[in-house]
């Protein structure tokens, strides 16, 4: 009977369970997912367009590089900030940077975009550590109060969140596709200001939803307090003393590389030459749709490290196929087939992104529950650092060189992850 109960619980952990005197943990996960849906429907589409719309002096590319460099630096100290102010406040404050970035795009100059990008990096470090902490806390609380297994519950909560998050690529880019008009070969872009005004409205709705989240009592879960700078520093670097984190970092870094590859290289070097800037929205919508489906499926299938290893293997193989295809065989082609190829590549790449997002978040929640703020800070440090590298490199190296870099990163990270599964299986440190 217990085994049967666990199977049923794993299949539907987002439905049951309501703690006394408050909104259910699952409902908080729904509100969090909806808030990110609005904020990132606007931001993801805006980000995809930066290298194609703000081209004067490379403003868009440099701005995104600044965002992720700033995010890398501030992520180092984000975990004690989130611990002190709480994940809900971190989420609300973090949303403000995205709104200011959209405002800057209405008047895109070096004097508006650079400060907005710096501030966005700071607030993004807070919002993402807050997101990982909040969602993990909600999932584990939900599992404990309803006697559900923790691994599948974390997988389902992360599957829902990342499925909703991936759909931002569909919604935001379809809006972009509907409002932007341009000629493929150097034609002017129209509808940009209207597009960013709509995006600003999305931001406001997302911030309101963040304010409606329940506060989470992290002290009840023994969240650490820091009596001195030295104690705070030890807490931040604690995961780096763990061999499991060191083996996870290459995969975290690759997850950033493959995201930035889509935003900075795929949109500019593969989609735009064939479909034009207005076609970026359609290609990224298909990428997002594949990401949504994969995130939901991967989240449902997650039960622990062994299942994660299989799921990550599928995503790694698909992205390896795409990289080798682009490296050895691809060239832009006219006609219907030529237009379909970038869309197909986007769909395959979206599967890999959905795999990495769901599995990394669930694994960090399982492996580093006692220092989850610090663990999710490490996620953003290495992920955003890798993203910044791609944005700064993309204007100065060839597509072939970028593909070689991506392929190398994929093989190193996947090998490290497989070794991690052996280490954890041997030490038996992950709960069933």
């Amino acid at each position: 009977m217990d085994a049967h109960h666990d199977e049923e619980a794993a299949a539907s952990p987002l439905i049951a369970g309501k703690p006394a005197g408050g909104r259910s943990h699952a409902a908080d996960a729904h509100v969090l997912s909806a808030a990110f849906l609005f904020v990132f429907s606007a931001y993801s589409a805006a980000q995809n367009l930066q290298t194609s719309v703000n081209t004067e002096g490379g403003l868009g590319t440099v701005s995104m590089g600044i965002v992720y460099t700033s995010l890398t630096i501030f992520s180092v100290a984000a975990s004690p900030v989130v611990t002190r102010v709480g994940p809900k406040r971190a989420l609300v404050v973090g949303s403000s940077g995205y709104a200011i970035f959209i405002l800057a795009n209405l008047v895109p100059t070096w004097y508006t975009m650079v400060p907005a990008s710096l501030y966005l990096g700071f607030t993004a470090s807070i919002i993402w550590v807050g997101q990982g902490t909040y969602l993990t806390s909600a999932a584990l609380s939900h599992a404990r109060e309803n006697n559900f297994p923790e691994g599948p519950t974390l997988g389902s909560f992360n599957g829902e969140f990342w499925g909703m998050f991936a759909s931002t690529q569909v919604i935001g880019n379809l809006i972009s596709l509907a409002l932007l008009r341009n000629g493929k070969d150097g034609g002017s872009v129209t509808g940009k200001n209207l597009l960013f005004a709509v995006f600003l409205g999305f931001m406001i709705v997302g911030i309101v939803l963040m304010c409606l989240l329940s506060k989470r009592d992290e002290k009840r879960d023994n969240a650490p307090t820091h009596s001195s700078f030295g104690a705070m520093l030890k807490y931040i670097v604690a995961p780096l003393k763990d061999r499991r984190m060191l083996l996870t970092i290459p995969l975290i870094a690759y997850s950033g590389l493959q995201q930035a590859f889509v935003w900075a290289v795929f949109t500019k070097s593969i989609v735009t030459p064939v479909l034009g800037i207005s076609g970026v929205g359609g290609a990224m919508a298909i990428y997002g749709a594949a990401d949504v489906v994969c995130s939901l499926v991967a989240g449902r299938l997650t039960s622990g490290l062994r299942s994660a290893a299989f799921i990550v293997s599928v995503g790694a193989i698909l992205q390896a196929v795409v990289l080798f295809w682009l490296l050895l065989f691809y060239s832009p082609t006219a006609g219907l087939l030529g237009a379909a190829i970038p869309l197909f590549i986007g769909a395959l790449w979206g599967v890999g992104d959905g795999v990495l997002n769901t599995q990394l978040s669930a694994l960090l929640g399982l492996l580093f529950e006692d220092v989850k703020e610090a663990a999710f800070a490490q996620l953003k440090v290495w992920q955003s650092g890798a993203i910044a590298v791609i944005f700064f490199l993309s204007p100065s190296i060839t597509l072939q060189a970028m593909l070689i870099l991506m392929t190398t990163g994929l093989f190193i990270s996947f090998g490290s992850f497989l070794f991690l599964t052996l280490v954890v299986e041997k030490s038996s440190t992950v709960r069933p």
Side-chain angles (χ1 to χ4, degrees), residues 188-268:
S188 61
V189 180
T190 59
K192 186 167 77 75
N193 286 344
L194 175 59
L195 177 66
F196 282 100
V198 171
F199 286 165
L200 186 60
F202 271 56
M203 288 286 175
I204 293 170
V205 175
I207 292 172
V208 170
L209 287 172
M210 295 283 192
C211 294
L212 296 178
L213 287 168
S214 302
K215 287 186 178 180
R216 306 212 65 81
D217 184 8
E218 287 299 305
K219 291 181 180 179
R220 182 190 62 186
D221 295 328
N222 299 317
T225 55
H226 311 294
S227 58
S228 67
F229 177 78
M232 181 186 74
L233 191 62
K234 285 181 181 179
Y235 176 70
I236 292 170
V237 302
L240 291 176
K241 297 179 181 180
D242 193 321
R243 178 169 60 165
R244 297 170 302 171
M245 176 59 79
L246 296 177
L247 291 172
T248 307
I249 283 173
L251 191 66
I252 291 174
Y254 177 74
S255 74
L257 291 178
Q258 61 89 29
Q259 287 179 14
F261 176 80
V262 169
W263 301 332
V265 180
F266 174 70
T267 55
K268 183 178 181 181

Side-chain angles (χ1 to χ4, degrees), residues 46-69:
Q47 178 176 249
N48 294 336
L49 292 168
Q50 291 303 304
T51 58
S52 302
V53 172
N54 295 328
T55 56
E56 187 174 349
L59 176 59
T61 303
V62 172
S63 295
M64 296 314 304
I66 291 172
V67 167
Y68 287 101
T69 301

Side-chain angles (χ1 to χ4, degrees), residues 30-106:
H30 301 329
V31 174
L32 179 67
S33 300
F36 271 71
L37 177 69
F38 279 96
V39 170
F40 284 89
S41 288
Y43 175 71
S44 296
Q47 178 176 249
N48 294 336
L49 292 168
Q50 291 303 304
T51 58
S52 302
V53 172
N54 295 328
T55 56
E56 187 174 349
L59 176 59
T61 303
V62 172
S63 295
M64 296 314 304
I66 291 172
V67 167
Y68 287 101
T69 301
S70 175
L71 175 54
T72 303
I73 295 169
F74 285 114
S75 290
V76 174
S79 60
V81 172
V82 174
T83 302
R84 182 173 294 274
V85 305
K88 177 185 174 178
R89 288 181 182 174
L91 289 165
V92 174
V93 173
S95 304
S96 66
Y98 293 91
I100 289 173
F101 184 79
I102 295 297
L103 278 171
N105 270 273
L106 289 168

